[in-house]
């Protein structure tokens, strides 16, 4: 039934786009452009963090799928308005700049949260989710002690920066990973699992056989339908368990 629902959402996603809008906001004097979609302000909220392409139609498509399921979504922009890199070198430069400046990464994440709040989104009933680079940013948000109902990473970076730990995490972490991922190794996966267990952080970590890095990206040569559908099913159940029960 959930697979059928996903197929129907994919078919109708272009219609749902009409309900969403680009939103400019300021962080530290710089202009950013996120994406907001909602049916009513009281809806549970998903804060969505983009991959290393920036906020593109991929994030808007996922936001529309979530909105069809009854969630408001605000896609946070960590790069800046009109910064949507297409060359690998530029993507790497932008992401490495934030990986090397975790204070700024946290500031931009909190700036996105503030923008969502300004829009009237239900920030008190929120899960944060991200893809690839966005998944690593989600874990950064979790380590900062941000008070959300859960954190979800799809094929994201899993290493813990020097000097950081998970002692401030306030809610469950869900990690959805491809076993065939060459960018983020199973050693990284195992190390994170051990860290979370040792630090007493509630977590669930799943790997999908044959799934490479970026296995959820529609239309790419890395897309794996089986892993995408299964991870989406687990994600939506996680949202239901953590946001609908309130």
């Amino acid at each position: 039934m959930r697979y059928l629902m996903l197929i129907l959402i994919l078919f109708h996603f272009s219609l749902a786009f009409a309900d969403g809008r680009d939103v400019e906001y300021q962080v530290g004097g710089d202009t950013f452009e996120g994406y907001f979609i909602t049916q009513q302000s009281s809806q549970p909220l998903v804060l969505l963090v983009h991959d290393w392409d920036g906020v593109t139609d991929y994030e808007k498509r996922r936001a529309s799928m979530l909105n069809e399921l009854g969630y408001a979504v605000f896609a946070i922009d960590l790069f800046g308005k009109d910064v949507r890199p297409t060359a690998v070198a530029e993507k790497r430069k932008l992401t490495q700049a934030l990986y090397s400046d975790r204070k700024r990464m946290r500031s931009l994440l909190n700036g996105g949260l503030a923008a969502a709040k300004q829009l009237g989104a239900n920030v008190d009933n929120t899960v944060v989710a991200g893809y690839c680079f966005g998944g690593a940013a989600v874990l950064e948000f979790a380590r900062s002690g941000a008070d959300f109902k859960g954190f979800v990473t799809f094929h994201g970076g899993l290493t813990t920066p020097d000097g950081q730990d998970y002692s401030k995490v306030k809610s469950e972490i869900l990690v959805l990973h491809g076993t065939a991922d060459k960018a983020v190794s199973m050693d990284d996966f195992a190390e994170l699992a051990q860290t979370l267990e040792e630090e007493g952080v509630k977590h669930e970590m799943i790997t999908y056989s044959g799934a490479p890095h970026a296995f959820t990206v529609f239309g790419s040569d890395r897309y794996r339908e089986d892993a995408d559908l299964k991870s989406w099913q687990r994600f939506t159940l996680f949202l239901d368990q953590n946001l609908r029960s309130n």
Side-chain angles (χ1 to χ4, degrees):
M1 180 61 71
R2 286 183 178 270
Y3 282 13
L4 177 59
M5 183 179 294
L6 176 58
I7 292 169
L8 290 173
I9 291 170
L10 288 172
F11 182 75
H12 292 293
F13 85 93
S14 61
L15 297 177
F17 264 41
D19 298 325
R21 59 191 174 98
D22 297 325
V23 176
E24 288 190 17
Y25 62 97
Q26 301 288 312
V27 182
D30 296 323
T31 302
F32 295 81
E33 187 174 76
Y35 180 79
F36 186 52
I37 185 168
T38 187
Q39 297 169 18
Q40 56 185 24
S41 60
S42 61
Q43 285 181 295
L45 175 68
V46 178
L47 281 178
L48 195 62
V49 189
H50 59 77
D51 63 16
W52 71 349
D53 297 333
V55 180
T56 65
D57 281 350
Y58 178 77
E59 285 74 28
K60 294 178 182 181
R61 182 170 176 174
R62 290 292 183 184
S64 295
M65 292 165 64
L66 288 166
N67 189 242
E68 287 286 334
L69 294 174
Y71 300 100
V73 182
F74 185 72
I76 295 173
D77 177 14
L78 298 185
F79 290 165
K81 179 176 169 57
D82 297 327
V83 182
R84 304 296 182 257
T86 56
V88 170
E90 183 64 15
K91 294 176 185 179
R92 185 172 290 118
K93 178 181 178 181
L94 288 164
T95 54
Q96 287 301 323
L98 291 176
Y99 282 139
S100 63
D101 189 349
R102 298 289 175 149
K103 183 178 180 180
R104 177 164 174 76
M105 183 188 287
R106 292 186 181 191
S107 174
L108 296 178
L109 290 166
N110 282 308
L113 172 63
K117 185 176 183 179
Q118 188 69 27
L119 290 164
N122 189 356
V123 297
D124 294 323
N125 194 23
T126 299
V127 162
V128 187
Y131 292 85
C132 294
F133 162 72
V138 166
L139 293 181
E140 186 70 31
F141 223 173
R143 289 190 299 269
S144 76
D147 192 8
F148 298 115
K149 299 295 178 65
F151 302 89
V152 184
T153 169
F154 289 84
H155 43 76
L158 303 179
T159 57
T160 305
D162 291 340
Q164 290 196 24
D165 59 37
Y166 284 83
S167 62
K168 296 180 181 179
V169 176
K170 290 183 168 61
S171 57
E172 184 175 3
I173 293 174
L174 174 63
V175 176
L176 304 166
H177 185 70
T179 315
D181 193 326
K182 302 301 184 184
V184 182
S185 71
M186 288 301 297
D187 287 340
D188 293 337
F189 181 91
E191 185 174 347
L192 177 60
Q194 184 174 353
T195 296
L196 295 178
E197 187 66 21
E198 290 175 350
E199 297 193 33
V201 177
K202 186 177 181 181
H203 63 280
E204 181 176 344
M205 301 178 63
I206 304 171
T207 64
Y208 300 98
S209 62
H213 192 63
F215 64 82
T216 68
V217 180
F218 307 115
S220 74
D221 58 2
R222 296 182 177 187
Y223 181 72
R224 297 295 184 272
E225 182 180 40
D226 181 63
D228 179 35
L229 293 174
K230 287 178 179 177
S231 60
W232 185 261
Q233 182 181 40
R234 182 63 192 95
F235 177 40
T236 56
L237 178 59
F238 182 89
L239 294 177
D240 189 61
Q241 292 170 330
N242 288 277
L243 297 179
R244 303 283 193 188
S245 60
N246 298 287

